[in-house]
């Protein structure tokens, strides 16, 4: 019996293969208020963009989109389309840096939970 994992396209998050395999993913937002995980996720994303800036050709635009997400999400009536569009652009621009893609997905997941 062999354990093989073959993923076509993109795979984000943990993957496990084989008998008894478990895949878990833990995210820790450092220095973030416990009641605002989005702030922590955005801070982590900013930090990873800075760390992998040499692999992100449009890093300045990514940072502007992160600012836009933060501003829109903090507003009284967040626009779901504006948030999703900014996160889509960020995801496309950071595709060459896997750790950053993971952080984008964390933010996307939190945003989707906040939206109606």
């Amino acid at each position: 019996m062999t354990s093989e994992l073959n993923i076509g396209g993109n795979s984000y998050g943990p993957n496990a293969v084989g008998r008894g395999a478990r895949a878990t993913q833990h995210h820790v937002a450092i220095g973030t208020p416990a009641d605002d995980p989005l702030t922590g996720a955005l801070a982590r994303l900013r930090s990873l963009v800075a760390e992998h800036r040499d692999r992100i050709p449009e890093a300045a635009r990514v940072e502007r989109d992160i600012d836009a997400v933060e501003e829109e999400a903090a507003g009284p009536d967040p626009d779901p389309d504006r948030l999703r569009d900014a996160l889509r652009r960020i995801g496309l621009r950071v595709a060459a840096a896997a750790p950053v893609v993971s952080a984008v997905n964390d933010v996307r997941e939190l945003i989707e939970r906040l939206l109606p």
Side-chain angles (χ1 to χ4, degrees):
M1 178 174 146
T2 64
S3 295
E4 183 176 320
L5 177 64
N6 185 355
I7 299 172
N10 296 320
S11 174
Y12 304 105
N15 295 289
V17 176
R19 179 178 296 159
R22 286 183 37 185
T24 58
Q25 185 169 357
H26 302 282
H27 301 283
V28 178
I30 299 171
T32 303
D35 59 338
D36 190 7
L38 181 57
T39 300
L42 288 168
R44 179 172 176 264
L45 177 56
R46 283 181 204 284
S47 173
L48 287 169
V49 167
E51 182 180 335
H52 297 279
R53 193 173 191 83
D54 59 326
R55 295 172 54 194
I56 304 170
E58 297 181 272
R61 289 183 176 166
V62 169
E63 291 165 342
R64 284 197 317 246
D65 277 335
I66 294 170
D67 292 341
V69 167
E70 186 171 49
E71 181 181 320
E72 189 66 31
D77 184 25
D79 180 349
D81 291 333
R82 186 168 183 228
L83 289 166
R84 288 180 181 119
D85 288 346
L87 287 167
R88 181 187 54 79
R89 284 191 308 273
I90 293 168
L92 291 171
R93 289 176 173 148
V94 302
V100 184
V101 173
S102 178
V104 172
N105 288 327
D106 293 344
V107 171
R108 181 179 294 123
E109 187 178 301
L110 288 167
I111 292 288
E112 289 299 330
R113 286 187 210 160
L114 297 174
L115 296 174

